[in-house]
Amino acid sequence: VYSDSDAYSVVVAGDSTVANEFPLYLSQSINNHNVKNVGVAGKGIIGNRLLGDGLGYGSQLFGESLIKRFQRDVLSQAGVEYVIVKIGANDIVHPVSTDIMEQYPDIKQPTANEIIAGFKTIFNMCHEAGVKVIAVGITQWKGSTRDYFGTGAKYVRTNIQFNADWKIAQTVNDWLSKTTLHDGYVNLNDISADPKDSAAFLPEYTTDGVHPSDTLL
């Protein structure tokens, strides 16, 4: 593949909320603005976590943690100058899902500070490589049970438990919105929130309560 000397790439990294049509739509938007020297690489993986490797049914499909795979999958892409990162919900949800707790009885849910430390690692890796990084907030998942394929993957929480889980996401998002350690922040969770319940996805913007629909993308 040949390209102009000023060509560069944007890498979209994260979980299933960006392992969809988002990279394609981003590329189309760039082209629609008559920018022809930018490529977009999609490096999102369903079930992917920032801090830990894949867990439970399909764990191998969920991949290594983003931190582990970041150099290989993201920074090693040709001509990368920008990275868009959206991840974190699976770090909160998976360790407290019934099927995973049964399989890994000693597993611990990470704290907001631990997730934030993971983002700091990603941001530092980008800047050490001379790459700019844009963070996207963790979006809603209220009502999701994870059991998309009828495998018994269950995220079932009481209101108190869910509120504690969502508080972790809110704390991480609040930090992402204020820190100067990245080069930009997209507050997607405010756009996707249901006005009647900010912890839930706006119905017209999702197909299953957690993944954004084409309407939002």
Side-chain angles (χ1 to χ4, degrees):
V1 177
Y2 295 92
S3 63
D4 294 335
S5 59
D6 64 344
Y8 63 92
S9 61
V10 178
V11 183
V12 181
D15 54 29
S16 58
T17 59
V18 290
N20 46 29
E21 298 299 315
F22 175 74
L24 175 62
Y25 291 151
L26 176 60
S27 179
Q28 290 175 340
S29 178
I30 290 171
N31 288 333
N32 289 342
H33 284 81
N34 204 35
V35 177
K36 305 299 183 182
N37 64 331
V38 178
V40 177
K43 292 297 178 177
I45 301 178
I46 62 167
N48 202 222
R49 296 193 294 159
L50 173 63
L51 302 177
D53 297 345
L55 291 170
Y57 180 85
S59 59
Q60 291 182 328
L61 298 177
F62 297 161
E64 294 179 314
S65 71
L66 183 60
I67 287 177
K68 279 187 184 179
R69 67 184 184 91
F70 200 73
Q71 180 63 47
R72 179 192 68 227
D73 288 357
V74 179
L75 297 180
S76 293
Q77 297 303 305
V80 58
E81 290 192 11
Y82 292 89
V83 174
I84 299 172
V85 176
K86 185 179 186 301
I87 201 163
N90 293 325
D91 291 78
I92 301 168
V93 170
H94 285 193
V96 292
S97 296
T98 304
D99 58 306
I100 291 177
M101 288 191 292
E102 290 173 351
Q103 193 172 351
Y104 308 91
D106 296 327
I107 196 167
K108 302 293 183 185
Q109 185 184 57
T111 65
N113 285 337
E114 288 171 333
I115 295 173
I116 288 169
F119 274 110
K120 289 179 179 179
T121 297
I122 293 294
F123 299 159
N124 288 337
M125 290 176 70
C126 286
H127 292 150
E128 287 172 2
V131 172
K132 293 185 177 180
V133 56
I134 298 169
V136 183
I138 300 171
T139 44
Q140 296 77 7
W141 67 82
K142 190 172 185 178
S144 170
T145 65
R146 290 180 56 245
D147 197 17
Y148 308 117
F149 305 108
T151 61
K154 290 291 186 180
Y155 172 75
V156 181
R157 305 286 272 170
T158 66
N159 287 336
I160 292 175
Q161 289 172 326
F162 174 81
N163 290 338
D165 294 347
W166 181 236
K167 182 63 176 178
I168 295 173
Q170 289 178 301
T171 301
V172 172
N173 283 345
D174 183 63
W175 178 81
L176 287 173
S177 72
K178 296 175 180 177
T179 183
T180 58
L181 295 180
H182 54 51
D183 301 284
Y185 175 64
V186 178
N187 192 9
L188 186 61
N189 58 305
D190 272 6
I191 299 172
S192 59
D194 187 336
K196 299 176 182 177
D197 186 347
S198 62
F201 234 112
L202 194 64
E204 53 261 46
Y205 282 163
T206 184
T207 57
D208 56 14
V210 62
H211 297 102
S213 66
D214 288 357
T215 304
L216 177 60
L217 296 176

